[in-house]
Amino acid sequence: MSISTAAGVFDALAAGPPEGRPVLLLHGFPQTGQAWRRQIAALAAQGYRVVAPDQRGYSPGVRPERAEDYRISVLVADVVAIAEELGWPTFDLVGHDWGGAVAWWTAAGHPGRVRTLTVVSTPHPGALAEALRSDDDQRARSQYMKDWREAPATENHMLADDAALLRALYAGKVPQASADAYVRHLSRPGALTAALNWYRSGRPDGEIGSVEVPTLYVWSTEDTAFGPGPAQETGRWVDGPYRFEVLPGLSHWIPEEAPETLNRLLLDHLRADGGRNHRAPLTVDEKSRH
């Protein structure tokens, strides 16, 4: 489907009955809304109305050239505009990777619009900022964010040799057909630069506070981008009901590497409205005993 907003036209996948409870899914880098296809099917089968847009820069109809047009406030405004166009006064919000960051900011800034929040992999931006100041492990993990600001060198390196470096990012955890589709999408003129502009847009134009809505945060122990420090600290940034799930042995690419596990957690969270309040995050050892 296409979603027309003042910023342009977003491409999106949609499924489920039009009258179903609305769920918006936000993908990350370097993917598209297709990353959620297993979650879309599972949610639609349970009667939810699911929409997964290709976000700003990934949709050709919303692809400005300037890096500053990818500031976090603009990305959040896109989410609100999409919800408005869909006629959703409130909705459940789910995000992974960069989509997770946008989801955190949206829930913090628009608690009246977000019914529940589910974030996969990405810690709360406040917890991540603290880790980048004090956690050597997380600083090392996040070095790529600085490296990728170099343009057009980053694009040239990622797309050289049949996009070998871009393909390597999926670490063999994303199905080959999906990885091929993402590479084709991002190999089109201007697409990869637009996606990398999310990293080049500068510091957030504002500060984020705590999240009040019922929140599920899912993190995996083999995530190379986000370490245990900010993951464990994320709970301090959620004032509403909070559930923290640690998935041992899984990589950053949870929605596609372990779709059944994520689907179960997501559906449980939606059905409960996030009502169970797990204020003390479980450690990896504690999780292994459950």
Side-chain angles (χ1 to χ4, degrees):
M1 69 180 298
S2 297
I3 305 170
S4 297
T5 71
V9 179
F10 290 88
D11 299 331
L13 299 175
E19 70 279 4
R21 176 171 156 184
V23 183
L24 189 67
L25 304 172
L26 304 178
H27 69 85
F29 178 89
Q31 299 177 290
T32 67
Q34 290 277 355
W36 297 111
R37 63 197 178 284
R38 298 288 294 275
Q39 287 70 46
I40 292 170
L43 290 168
Q46 294 299 316
Y48 293 90
R49 177 60 176 173
V50 193
V51 174
D54 291 350
Q55 294 200 78
R56 175 175 291 251
Y58 295 84
S59 283
V62 194
R63 188 173 286 167
E65 295 183 0
R66 302 185 311 166
E68 55 263 38
D69 290 326
Y70 296 82
R71 301 184 314 277
I72 195 68
S73 61
V74 178
L75 303 173
V76 171
D78 285 342
V79 173
V80 175
I82 288 170
E84 289 284 348
E85 181 62 28
L86 293 170
W88 293 355
T90 61
F91 53 96
D92 297 284
L93 184 59
V94 184
H96 173 247
D97 188 77
W98 257 114
V102 176
W104 283 117
W105 281 90
T106 303
H110 300 273
R113 301 297 298 268
V114 178
R115 182 171 179 173
T116 69
L117 174 66
T118 300
V119 178
V120 184
S121 302
T122 316
H124 184 285
L128 181 59
E130 289 180 352
L132 290 174
R133 289 191 293 267
S134 61
D135 185 337
D136 289 341
D137 172 69
Q138 187 56 53
R139 279 198 293 266
R141 291 171 186 263
S142 296
Q143 179 60 40
Y144 72 93
M145 295 185 184
K146 296 181 180 180
D147 297 341
W148 289 354
R149 293 173 187 167
E150 295 296 324
T154 305
E155 290 90 323
N156 293 339
H157 288 316
M158 284 189 175
L159 295 178
D161 300 322
D162 190 30
L165 288 180
L166 182 58
R167 293 178 186 276
L169 294 177
Y170 306 115
K173 304 300 183 179
V174 172
Q176 187 62 50
S178 297
D180 290 343
Y182 300 145
V183 169
R184 285 195 301 272
H185 187 93
L186 292 169
S187 296
R188 294 166 184 159
L192 184 55
T193 293
L196 288 167
N197 276 342
W198 288 52
Y199 295 93
R200 298 166 177 166
S201 61
R203 293 183 178 275
D205 42 353
E207 294 185 359
I208 188 171
S210 296
V211 170
E212 301 174 0
V213 303
T215 298
L216 167 66
Y217 175 42
V218 183
W219 175 77
S220 48
T221 61
E222 302 308 305
D223 192 317
T224 57
F226 303 115
Q232 294 284 353
E233 289 297 304
T234 286
R236 297 197 304 106
W237 292 84
V238 181
D239 290 336
Y242 181 59
R243 179 177 177 181
F244 179 33
E245 289 286 340
V246 176
L247 304 183
L250 294 180
S251 76
H252 178 75
W253 308 104
I254 294 171
E256 291 177 288
E257 185 180 0
E260 294 83 5
T261 299
L262 181 58
N263 292 349
R264 175 180 55 79
L265 294 171
L266 177 56
L267 285 166
D268 284 349
H269 181 55
L270 295 177
R271 288 165 180 155
D273 274 353
R276 289 190 296 166
N277 189 351
H278 294 256
R279 292 307 307 165
L282 298 178
T283 66
V284 173
D285 287 341
E286 287 171 334
K287 284 298 300 174
S288 67
R289 296 196 296 268
H290 283 66

